[in-house]
Amino acid sequence: MKIRVLGCHGAQLPGYNTTSFLLNKNILVDAGTVTSLLSLDEQIAIDYIFITHAHLDHVKDIAFLADNLHGRKEHPVEIITTQGIINILRENLFNNIIWPDFSEIPNREAPVIKFRALDPRSSYSVDSLTIQAVLVNHIIETMAFVVRFEGGSVIFVGDTGPTEDIWEIANILPDLKAIFIETSFPNDMRSIAEAAGHFTPASFNDELKKLFLLKTVDIYLYHLKPQYRELIEDQISSISRDNVKILKEGEIIEI
Ligand SMILES: [Zn+2]
Ligand SMILES: [Zn+2]
């Protein structure tokens, strides 16, 4: 599986984009950065968008993507997440006030986007992938995604503070190759991180103790606040774990 990083930061500054990963050519995990990076043809190729949660830095480009795709695809782009997160998106973003409801444009039978609800207790097949949503611990309903593919599996942990269920699953996945997980604030901002449902390098390091397979799994850190990136990098390097890497914008990872 090919993972292209479209955005891997927890805020937006020139050269730093908000969260979005392109899996192969047609599946997105989060949509914080899509339309400012992908060509129109690459945007038309997108068929599925898995959404970890409704915060704007993870969903804003669904709005601009839907606008660009109007009249250009034969089938709707599926926005796949829990019913609770779909309700938040419908009520607060695609509500015909902040943005048009593209799930009814041009009509209900053949819309530009279609919401599809996930049950966290089930797995879903999308192309050659199987994807399962697992609740994590952020300030609003937020999911991690376990992505299984031929030859392995990876986990995208959504925005979160200390959490439990995803580690229980990670610890019994025999072919787990990589975990993508956040660290947003430097250590001296621990109280803000805790209040906002995020990690610092120190709390992330504590969290890693829940992963039994730590030595064999690549850990990719993302969602750093770019204004603190250097400080966070220094604090992560002092943890000195060889398999912990900080993601870069535009990076492509083949797993
Ligand atoms: Zn975020
Ligand atoms: Zn968030």
Side-chain angles (χ1 to χ4, degrees), residues 53 55 57-58 138-140 142 159 196-198 223:
H53 66 304
H55 277 157
D57 56 317
H58 300 255
H138 193 36
I139 46 174
I140 59 169
T142 300
D159 288 14
H198 289 298
H223 206 273

Side-chain angles (χ1 to χ4, degrees), residues 130-199:
T130 303
I131 298 184
Q132 180 187 3
V134 179
L135 188 68
V136 291
N137 176 28
H138 193 36
I139 46 174
I140 59 169
E141 181 177 345
T142 300
M143 311 309 290
F145 292 117
V146 180
V147 180
R148 296 178 172 91
F149 54 97
E150 201 180 324
S153 50
V154 300
I155 295 176
F156 293 91
V157 182
D159 288 14
T160 193
T163 189
E164 301 301 331
D165 292 358
I166 194 64
W167 302 118
E168 285 178 22
I169 291 175
N171 285 333
I172 56 168
L173 273 178
D175 58 358
L176 182 62
K177 306 288 188 207
I179 296 176
F180 294 74
I181 184 168
E182 73 132 280
T183 290
S184 297
F185 291 100
N187 287 334
D188 63 347
M189 296 179 76
R190 183 173 191 130
S191 59
I192 292 171
E194 283 176 0
H198 289 298
F199 286 125

Side-chain angles (χ1 to χ4, degrees), residues 7-248:
C8 59
H9 285 84
Q12 193 175 48
L13 279 174
Y16 298 96
N17 298 322
T18 55
T19 302
S20 188
F21 301 102
L22 180 62
L23 312 190
N24 298 329
K25 294 222 177 300
N26 64 334
I27 300 168
L28 289 173
V29 173
D30 281 341
T33 301
V34 183
T35 49
S36 60
L37 267 189
L38 296 184
S39 69
L40 185 56
D41 283 346
E42 288 172 323
Q43 294 176 38
I44 291 169
I46 292 168
D47 295 318
Y48 309 100
I49 305 178
F50 286 82
I51 294 294
T52 59
H53 66 304
H55 277 157
L56 207 53
D57 56 317
H58 300 255
V59 303
K60 68 181 171 59
D61 273 8
I62 305 173
F64 305 117
L65 181 68
D67 197 19
N68 289 350
L69 296 185
H70 185 203
R72 290 184 178 270
K73 275 182 81 81
E74 287 180 7
H75 53 84
V77 177
E78 292 191 18
I79 312 298
I80 308 173
T81 188
T82 62
Q83 188 62 54
I85 296 170
I86 289 172
N87 293 346
I88 296 170
L89 290 173
R90 294 190 78 110
E91 287 165 18
N92 298 284
L93 179 53
F94 297 98
N95 58 3
N96 289 319
I97 298 171
I98 297 292
W99 204 247
D101 179 3
F102 276 97
S103 68
E104 298 194 355
I105 293 174
N107 55 64
R108 274 187 198 184
E109 288 68 40
V112 179
I113 61 172
K114 184 172 144 188
F115 292 102
R116 181 169 152 196
L118 279 175
D119 180 341
R121 290 160 298 189
S122 302
S123 293
Y124 293 81
S125 292
V126 171
D127 288 351
S128 58
L129 310 181
T130 303
I131 298 184
Q132 180 187 3
V134 179
L135 188 68
V136 291
N137 176 28
H138 193 36
I139 46 174
I140 59 169
E141 181 177 345
T142 300
M143 311 309 290
F145 292 117
V146 180
V147 180
R148 296 178 172 91
F149 54 97
E150 201 180 324
S153 50
V154 300
I155 295 176
F156 293 91
V157 182
D159 288 14
T160 193
T163 189
E164 301 301 331
D165 292 358
I166 194 64
W167 302 118
E168 285 178 22
I169 291 175
N171 285 333
I172 56 168
L173 273 178
D175 58 358
L176 182 62
K177 306 288 188 207
I179 296 176
F180 294 74
I181 184 168
E182 73 132 280
T183 290
S184 297
F185 291 100
N187 287 334
D188 63 347
M189 296 179 76
R190 183 173 191 130
S191 59
I192 292 171
E194 283 176 0
H198 289 298
F199 286 125
T200 63
S203 58
F204 156 74
N205 195 36
D206 288 343
E207 189 75 3
L208 278 187
K209 293 171 187 151
K210 299 173 184 173
L211 178 64
F212 302 154
L213 292 168
L214 184 55
K215 291 200 173 78
T216 58
V217 176
D218 287 324
I219 310 284
Y220 292 101
L221 278 193
Y222 71 103
H223 206 273
L224 282 66
K225 298 284 182 188
Q227 55 273 49
Y228 308 116
R229 183 170 169 123
E230 274 184 33
L231 186 53
I232 297 170
E233 279 177 339
D234 285 349
Q235 292 171 353
I236 289 293
S237 66
S238 69
I239 291 171
S240 69
R241 291 186 188 274
D242 291 345
N243 56 337
V244 174
K245 297 160 198 160
I246 298 178
L247 275 182
K248 295 190 178 72

